[in-house]
């Protein structure tokens, strides 16, 4: 008759699917974890049970991943000869351990060990579960005095910009944190257990002043440990700047290139052309550089040669051309942790004779990595897929960059606030300036 009629009513989940049987007699609706059949004549509803669970063979998955990752290295490693390693033999040596492994962490360690046989950089295997229930300790942004005995934790130093660095703070060097939210910090207790899961919320501290006295209270808001690392890095940079300024009498600039990326390029440009725009030279620090892909841009920026400038009628120098490149002397400081493009940069810095290099020997890690997705998404697997090579045919991988002046840092100097590598770099650059 063409007149619509109500057959049945059903709650909707927002992501429902609909289908009608071939004979037009039944409507199927899926959604909300349910599958229901409706008789279009009577409107009667009939749930259709289903089970989507399936057995998960973790050992079988590990066996598959073992072969997959082994083949991935064989087919993608930048050197087709695999550094002369008998890769099929490596498979035989490691596959026999599979029956004895039942945890992903152990599997990742074993695969990393097998990759290590190639003696190459950018080869890694790790497992990142990132469980939400893991400890997440809040940081107060202070250094503790490890020699303190008795109750409480004694403050040895405060990180600028951290939770403790506020006007009128009780957390100063020599002060002792006695309580956290009313709980006494016992002599045998690690304060971290009292600061666990405190990030972003108010924490009440009981603090005694340096030298002793009545305890007072202060509220702080702890930050994540990762934020503490950033604060500590900023402190380290401020200390390096002060060392360079003092040793050079204010004549030299300083910039630390932490990674080889656009943000670090902008920082380097801003520091040298802004903060140190009037400096006679600059120290470029690539220690602990984590890599990336920036060496061409940095080399171009540091490779300027002064050839002209703007002056007033009174002879005041308003700047030199090229205006967008550093056209003054530089010196580089490196260490064994100058990684990936952080080791390629010193190699070409020397090749283009930009200035002296000071510091440790740097193992060349001149490859580019392929991080391939795995069937187990928490597994991370990397393979050195591309290799940097000079036009003469020399690969930078495992090519050691030997500094002009070899200076190793004695850990004892660190506690004294000294940096022998940086001190020597300043000396080398000052000698260059004095010869000009």
């Amino acid at each position: 008759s063409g007149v619509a009629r109500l057959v049945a009513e059903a709650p909707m989940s927002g992501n429902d699917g609909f289908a009608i049987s071939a004979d037009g007699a039944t409507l199927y609706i899926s959604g909300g974890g349910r599958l229901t059949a409706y008789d279009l004549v009577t409107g009667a509803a009939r749930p259709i049970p289903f089970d989507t669970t399936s057995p998960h063979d973790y050992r079988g998955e590990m066996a598959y991943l073992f072969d997959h990752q082994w083949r991935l290295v064989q087919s993608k490693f930048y050197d087709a000869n695999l550094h002369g390693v008998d890769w099929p033999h490596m498979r035989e040596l490691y596959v026999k351990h599979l029956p004895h492994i039942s945890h992903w962490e152990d599997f990742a360690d074993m695969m990393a060990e097998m990759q290590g046989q190639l003696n190459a950089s950018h080869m890694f295997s790790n497992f990142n579960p990132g469980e939400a229930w893991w400890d997440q300790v809040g940081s107060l942004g202070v250094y503790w005095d490890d020699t303190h005995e008795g109750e409480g934790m004694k403050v040895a130093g405060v990180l600028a910009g951290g939770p403790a660095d506020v006007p009128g703070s009780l957390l100063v060097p020599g002060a002792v944190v006695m309580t956290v939210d009313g709980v006494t910090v016992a002599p045998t207790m690690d304060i971290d257990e009292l600061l666990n899961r405190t990030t972003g919320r108010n924490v009440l501290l009981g603090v005694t002043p340096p030298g002793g006295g009545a305890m007072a209270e202060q509220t702080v808001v702890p930050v994540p440990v990762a934020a503490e690392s950033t604060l500590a890095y900023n402190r380290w940079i401020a200390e390096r700047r002060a060392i360079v300024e003092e040793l050079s009498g204010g004549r030299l600039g300083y910039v630390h290139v932490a990674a080889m990326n656009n943000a670090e390029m902008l920082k380097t440009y801003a520091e040298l052309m802004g903060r140190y725009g009037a400096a006679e030279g600059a120290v470029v620090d690539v220690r602990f550089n984590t890599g990336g892909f920036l060496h061409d841009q940095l080399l171009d920026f540091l490779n300027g040669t002064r050839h002209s400038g703007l002056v007033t009628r009174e002879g005041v120098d308003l700047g030199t051309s090229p205006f967008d490149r550093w056209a003054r002397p530089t010196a580089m400081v490196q260490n064994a942790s100058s990684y990936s493009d952080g080791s390629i940069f010193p190699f070409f810095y020397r090749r283009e004779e930009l200035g002296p290099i000071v510091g440790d020997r740097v193992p060349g890690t001149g490859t580019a990595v392929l991080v391939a997705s795995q069937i187990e998404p928490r597994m991370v697997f990397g393979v050195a897929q591309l290799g940097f090579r000079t036009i003469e045919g020399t690969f930078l991988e495992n090519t050691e960059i030997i500094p002009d002046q070899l200076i190793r840092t004695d850990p004892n100097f660190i506690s004294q606030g000294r940096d022998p590598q940086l001190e020597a770099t300043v000396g080398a650059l000052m000698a260059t300036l004095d010869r000009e």
Side-chain angles (χ1 to χ4, degrees):
S1 63
V3 178
R5 66 185 180 87
L6 177 66
V7 176
E9 291 182 326
M12 298 291 100
S13 66
N15 59 346
D16 306 276
F18 301 87
I20 297 179
S21 62
D23 59 7
T26 307
L27 170 66
Y28 299 98
I29 301 179
S30 65
R34 300 181 302 273
L35 181 60
T36 308
Y38 291 89
D39 188 310
L40 293 179
V41 175
T42 66
R46 172 174 56 86
I48 301 176
F50 62 93
D51 184 3
T52 60
T53 61
S54 63
H56 196 145
D57 183 359
Y58 288 100
R59 290 186 182 277
E61 189 172 313
M62 288 180 185
Y64 163 79
L65 277 174
F66 181 94
D67 286 334
H68 170 70
Q69 294 179 1
W70 180 87
R71 290 195 304 269
L72 194 65
V73 172
Q74 185 181 50
S75 61
K76 295 293 187 180
F77 191 64
Y78 84 98
D79 176 16
N81 192 41
L82 288 101
H83 283 183
V85 174
D86 186 343
W87 197 234
H89 180 57
M90 289 300 110
R91 185 189 185 283
E92 294 174 6
L93 290 178
Y94 283 88
V95 73
K96 62 185 179 183
H97 298 297
L98 269 178
H100 309 288
I101 291 179
S102 58
H103 296 283
W104 284 114
E105 291 88 346
D106 294 337
F107 176 79
D109 285 346
M110 183 186 72
M111 298 307 292
E113 289 284 345
M114 184 169 71
Q115 285 182 302
Q117 299 290 343
L118 292 171
N119 189 31
S121 64
H122 296 87
M123 304 288 290
F124 52 83
S125 174
N126 52 61
F127 179 68
N128 298 327
E131 302 293 355
W133 44 265
W134 282 6
D135 288 343
Q136 298 175 17
V137 178
S139 168
L140 302 179
V142 302
Y143 291 119
W144 301 112
D145 183 350
D146 294 333
T147 65
H148 174 71
E149 297 181 356
E151 291 185 344
M153 296 287 289
K154 188 174 184 180
V155 177
V158 177
L159 289 169
D165 182 33
V166 294
S169 176
L170 303 175
L171 298 172
V172 296
V176 180
V177 177
M178 300 297 296
T179 64
V180 177
D181 284 337
V183 179
T184 299
V185 183
T188 58
M189 180 182 292
D190 189 330
I191 196 173
D192 284 352
E193 61 185 271
L194 299 180
L195 294 173
N196 193 23
R197 301 190 179 279
T198 59
T199 298
R201 70 173 179 83
N202 290 338
V203 173
L204 185 63
L205 304 178
V207 185
T208 58
M215 186 176 74
E217 293 183 332
Q218 177 178 336
T219 299
V220 297
V221 180
V223 296
V225 173
E228 179 187 279
S229 298
T230 300
L231 295 173
Y233 172 74
N234 292 338
R235 174 190 176 107
W236 187 79
I237 292 299
E239 292 172 345
R240 301 317 103 186
R241 288 194 189 117
I243 290 172
V244 172
E245 182 173 350
E246 179 182 359
L247 294 179
S248 70
R251 297 173 63 188
L252 300 180
Y254 169 83
V255 63
H256 180 255
V257 186
M260 307 299 276
N261 55 38
N262 185 61
E264 290 297 304
M265 181 69 228
L266 293 176
K267 182 188 80 175
T268 300
Y269 186 93
E271 288 288 291
L272 296 188
M273 305 302 280
R275 185 194 300 267
Y276 298 114
E280 298 177 46
V283 173
V284 180
D285 190 345
V286 294
R287 293 176 295 181
F288 310 107
N289 186 293
T290 57
F293 195 61
L294 188 67
H295 62 269
D296 275 350
Q297 295 91 325
L298 274 178
L299 289 167
D300 285 344
F301 173 62
L302 298 175
N303 204 17
T305 301
R306 179 176 181 174
H307 52 69
S308 57
L310 290 171
V311 294
T312 68
R313 61 187 289 170
E314 292 81 14
V316 178
D317 191 340
L318 299 181
T320 61
S321 185
F323 294 106
D324 59 352
R325 285 187 291 161
W326 184 259
R328 280 156 275 177
T330 60
M332 178 177 292
V333 54
Q334 63 181 25
N335 68 2
S337 293
S338 301
Y339 186 71
S340 191
D341 204 36
S343 72
I344 296 171
F345 179 45
F347 181 92
F348 290 117
Y349 182 91
R350 160 169 290 152
R351 185 175 181 125
E352 298 194 15
E353 300 180 340
L354 296 187
I357 300 177
V358 180
D360 280 309
R361 297 170 181 263
V362 173
T365 48
T367 56
V369 65
L370 165 68
V371 181
S373 299
Q374 305 292 294
I375 191 173
E376 166 51 65
R378 294 171 296 177
M379 282 290 302
V380 182
F381 192 79
V383 182
Q385 184 180 24
L386 302 173
F388 275 94
R389 186 178 63 187
T390 66
I391 58 174
E392 295 82 12
T394 301
F395 277 102
L396 272 62
E397 182 72 7
N398 291 332
T399 297
E400 193 172 48
I401 299 95
I402 302 174
D404 300 302
Q405 190 174 350
L406 181 62
I407 301 291
R408 302 191 185 281
T409 298
D410 186 332
N412 293 317
F413 286 116
I414 297 176
S415 61
Q416 300 172 17
R418 289 189 54 196
D419 189 334
Q421 291 179 334
L422 189 58
E423 293 169 8
T425 308
V426 171
L429 185 51
M430 291 297 291
T432 299
L433 293 177
D434 292 341
R435 285 196 298 268
E436 294 183 349

